[in-house]
Amino acid sequence: MQDRPTIDELLEAVAGFLSDDVMPNTQGRLSFHARVAGNVLQMLRRELAHQEEHLASEWEGLDTLLPAAERPAGMSAARDAINARNQELCERIRQGDADEGDYRAALLTHLRRTVREKIAVSNPALAAEEGAG
């Protein structure tokens, strides 16, 4: 692990280079791709900044819908376990468990929160609009 520059500082520097130097001095396809690359870098910064809290939040939501389980240590193991638990949740939905009642309400609450967190990473302007509405 490096001390300085941090991952966020590196991503910020490259995004700044693209937006401040490349985009104003290019046009057409190159400018468009610089904008896309800059947006990707900003999305990565947001994901890295919030990944632990979003994983914990999704895990807690899944614990309300599936048998509670201990979250694995480590980000990669937690992501893999969440994917497996989401497959289990999909199977319960396919079986009709979420067609009505309290389980359906809990599922919709979980899905809304999880989607809001994902939108806050991929499109914070849209997330802000949705939060105001």
Side-chain angles (χ1 to χ4, degrees):
M1 180 166 145
Q2 299 296 318
D3 296 324
R4 297 290 306 272
T6 65
I7 292 170
D8 186 61
E9 290 169 340
L10 291 168
L11 293 171
E12 181 180 28
V14 175
F17 166 71
L18 291 169
S19 67
D20 298 342
D21 296 324
V22 176
M23 286 173 31
N25 295 302
T26 59
Q27 47 187 305
R29 184 174 189 268
L30 184 58
S31 181
F32 171 76
H33 285 285
R35 180 180 308 278
V36 169
N39 287 339
V40 167
L41 293 172
Q42 294 298 350
M43 207 174 358
L44 285 170
R45 291 181 69 211
R46 290 187 296 272
E47 183 165 349
L48 289 170
H50 299 287
Q51 65 182 339
E52 286 187 42
E53 69 188 79
H54 288 175
L55 283 173
S57 175
E58 187 168 359
W59 191 271
E60 289 170 17
L62 289 167
D63 274 351
T64 67
L65 298 165
L66 302 170
E70 186 174 335
R71 186 166 61 117
M75 299 298 276
S76 181
R79 277 191 199 94
D80 290 345
I82 283 175
N83 286 336
R85 293 186 88 199
N86 278 325
Q87 291 301 314
E88 184 180 346
L89 179 59
C90 288
E91 185 56 36
R92 292 209 47 193
I93 293 167
R94 278 191 289 278
Q95 292 172 359
D97 292 353
D99 288 351
E100 59 189 6
D102 292 340
Y103 193 82
R104 178 184 177 82
L107 173 67
L108 292 175
T109 297
H110 168 71
L111 293 175
R112 284 184 188 106
R113 183 181 61 244
T114 302
V115 169
R116 269 195 307 272
E117 289 171 353
K118 292 177 187 295
I119 291 172
V121 168
S122 64
N123 191 338
L126 179 61
E129 284 178 24
E130 292 297 317

